[in-house]
Amino acid sequence: MNSMHLAVLKCSNFCMLPYPCFFAKLPHGRCAAMTSKHEASMWPGLTLLALPLAGGVLRRLLGEADDQSVMSLIHIYFRYRRTDFTDFMRSHREALKKGHETGDFVPGVINYYTLMSELITLASGPFWHFVPMFRHMTRMESHHQFHHTLTKYLGAVKEDKVLEIGCGYGEMGRQVAKISGADVTGLTMADAEIVGANARIKAAGLEDRCRMVQGNYHKTNLEAGSFTKVFGIYTLKYSSDLYAVFGEAARLLKSGGSFLSYEILITDKYNPKDALQRSYVENISHSTCMPSLWPAQALRDAAKKAGLVAAVEEDIGTVPNTRPWYSCFTMTGVYYFLACPLLLPLVKLAETLRILPPAFADWFESMLMHPPLDFVRAGRAGIISGTVVMTWKKP
């Protein structure tokens, strides 16, 4: 028999590995003994070779920790398992109730982001909003494309003085400053976001053209006519008084300046009498302690009253070669994970067994399952759009 014929070796009880055997000319007993030794020495090496492959497969299935994936949820558990969720959920519901009674949702929004701003960044990276999801791009690449789209619609250039209202950590303002060279001021209410944004400005080397101020965008202490551009990204959904917001934006703009809003809006398909549709919209608002989402017409009416002239209104998520705006949750698998009917009962059981802290299940359902599930379901039903750009000019 030729010494290079294929010998078949048993691997455990289920695998057969063919390979060229130079033991073929040896006596049978000696061959078997040497083969057994060869197998024993071979497995540690094969195991080491297989580990990177297994890790890659697992990472592919679970996703990256900062990319709205199943891994994001695992990361959140380890980071926040000792948080006092009982106190947080109590204060959240008290603030939401007061907001509905008084129309002032500001304290509730501040309370929400005291915990959730860092968590959302942990799970989503620096980009929290929905953008057109291009089929040939990753979520992060789609976001970087959006920054250029935003700068184009804003019309920002190096000579501009730009104000971003309700800016959170000021990520969009920094992107506008980086792309256009414009001078950008970020306005937010939360102390934690001021501190975090200043650190990020310094890290980006943009201290010469970016700064943060604290305040309420319904009424600021900023000088009238001091900006050529004002914009808000997912900002107006936190307002219960659009007339005040548009009036203040108009006051801050120079003549010829422009105001841009990129917003989550309910569409003309929304039927508030439909209990299921209403539950989607209400869950989104209640989860984040904000008033009901606005229809586009409400923004048009407020802008007109403030003396601003409509310039552009476009849903940029409907361009060719894009996935739906909510596909950031479906393409990573996190939607299907959260929608699993066994998930919440298991979380509640883990809380009962004290594996998870008190009120974790309440928080998990209210702020992690909702609103992602509602965004996807409402988006599929066509009753909410997350990619509408609207701009106005000040005469």
Side-chain angles (χ1 to χ4, degrees):
M1 186 179 291
N2 190 295
S3 62
M4 292 303 289
H5 80 286
L6 287 180
V8 179
L9 299 179
K10 285 188 176 180
C11 300
S12 73
N13 294 320
F14 55 88
C15 178
M16 304 291 285
L17 288 179
Y19 70 99
C21 182
F22 67 90
F23 303 124
K25 289 185 177 179
L26 296 175
H28 177 71
R30 191 177 173 193
C31 178
M34 292 185 69
T35 298
S36 178
K37 290 179 181 178
H38 184 73
E39 286 180 356
S41 64
M42 178 177 67
W43 282 112
L46 287 176
T47 301
L48 289 174
L49 288 173
L51 283 175
L53 178 61
V57 171
L58 189 62
R59 188 163 56 249
R60 178 79 173 177
L61 290 172
L62 298 181
E64 299 293 338
D66 62 350
D67 200 25
Q68 297 180 346
S69 65
V70 175
M71 183 58 78
S72 303
L73 299 176
I74 296 172
H75 201 178
I76 286 168
Y77 161 70
F78 284 105
R79 182 71 174 266
Y80 291 92
R81 66 187 186 279
R82 292 188 175 88
T83 299
D84 186 350
F85 292 107
T86 301
D87 182 67
F88 178 76
M89 292 307 298
R90 177 191 54 76
S91 59
H92 176 77
R93 291 196 169 99
E94 288 176 356
L96 181 63
K97 182 175 182 290
K98 185 175 180 180
H100 284 295
E101 291 172 350
T102 65
D104 181 11
F105 290 84
V106 171
V109 172
I110 293 175
N111 177 72
Y112 173 81
Y113 280 114
T114 298
L115 173 65
M116 298 300 292
S117 58
E118 182 183 4
L119 185 147
I120 296 171
T121 301
L122 183 70
S124 302
F127 313 129
W128 300 2
H129 44 279
F130 298 111
V131 300
M133 298 293 293
F134 290 93
R135 295 187 182 277
H136 61 285
M137 296 182 183
T138 64
R139 186 180 76 89
M140 286 299 184
E141 288 170 342
S142 293
H143 272 278
H144 288 305
Q145 179 62 44
F146 172 75
H147 302 153
H148 291 270
T149 301
L150 168 66
T151 304
K152 181 187 75 173
Y153 277 92
L154 189 60
V157 294
K158 188 174 182 179
E159 294 75 21
D160 278 322
K161 301 291 184 182
V162 179
L163 174 68
E164 181 185 6
I165 60 173
C167 68
Y169 286 118
E171 184 64 39
M172 292 303 99
R174 289 195 300 278
Q175 294 295 333
V176 169
K178 188 186 301 183
I179 293 168
S180 69
D183 184 276
V184 179
T185 299
L187 175 73
T188 189
M189 295 179 290
D191 293 332
E193 292 177 343
I194 292 285
V195 173
N198 282 330
R200 296 177 191 196
I201 289 170
K202 185 176 181 179
L206 293 171
E207 295 162 290
D208 61 328
R209 65 185 101 157
C210 291
R211 66 199 54 79
M212 295 292 297
V213 295
Q214 191 164 18
N216 186 329
Y217 56 77
H218 293 82
K219 186 176 181 179
T220 74
N221 294 320
L222 299 171
E223 184 181 350
S226 53
F227 297 96
T228 54
K229 304 284 191 302
V230 176
F231 77 99
I233 307 296
Y234 284 15
T235 298
L236 303 185
K237 60 189 176 72
Y238 293 109
S239 174
S240 60
D241 188 355
L242 289 182
Y243 291 107
V245 178
F246 277 84
E248 182 67 1
R251 184 185 75 83
L252 294 172
L253 281 171
K254 297 178 182 290
S255 179
S258 60
F259 177 44
L260 179 148
S261 171
Y262 181 75
E263 207 49 68
I264 300 174
L265 301 171
I266 56 176
T267 70
D268 293 337
K269 291 184 178 180
Y270 175 60
N271 178 9
K273 295 181 180 179
D274 185 308
L276 188 59
Q277 291 188 15
R278 191 171 65 252
S279 71
Y280 296 154
V281 173
E282 289 178 353
N283 284 339
I284 292 169
S285 298
H286 293 173
S287 293
T288 52
C289 202
M290 63 186 187
S292 296
L293 295 174
W294 294 103
Q297 189 58 49
L299 275 65
R300 298 183 197 113
D301 293 343
K304 184 177 180 179
K305 185 174 181 180
L308 300 176
V309 179
V312 174
E313 181 174 331
E314 185 178 344
D315 188 342
I316 61 173
T318 59
V319 298
N321 199 33
T322 56
R323 299 183 183 93
W325 53 269
Y326 52 81
S327 65
C328 55
F329 292 125
T330 57
M331 63 190 292
T332 60
V334 71
Y335 168 78
Y336 303 102
F337 180 78
L338 292 173
C340 175
L342 296 177
L343 179 61
L344 187 58
L346 287 174
V347 171
K348 290 180 177 179
L349 176 62
E351 184 181 322
T352 301
L353 296 174
R354 299 186 179 181
I355 298 171
L356 295 173
F360 183 92
D362 182 19
W363 172 78
F364 184 86
E365 181 180 16
S366 300
M367 298 190 178
L368 292 189
M369 295 180 70
H370 303 290
L373 295 177
D374 305 288
F375 278 129
V376 174
R377 291 163 180 171
R380 285 174 171 173
I383 62 173
I384 287 179
S385 175
T387 49
V388 175
V389 173
M390 303 175 76
T391 68
W392 298 267
K393 287 282 189 182
K394 181 176 180 178

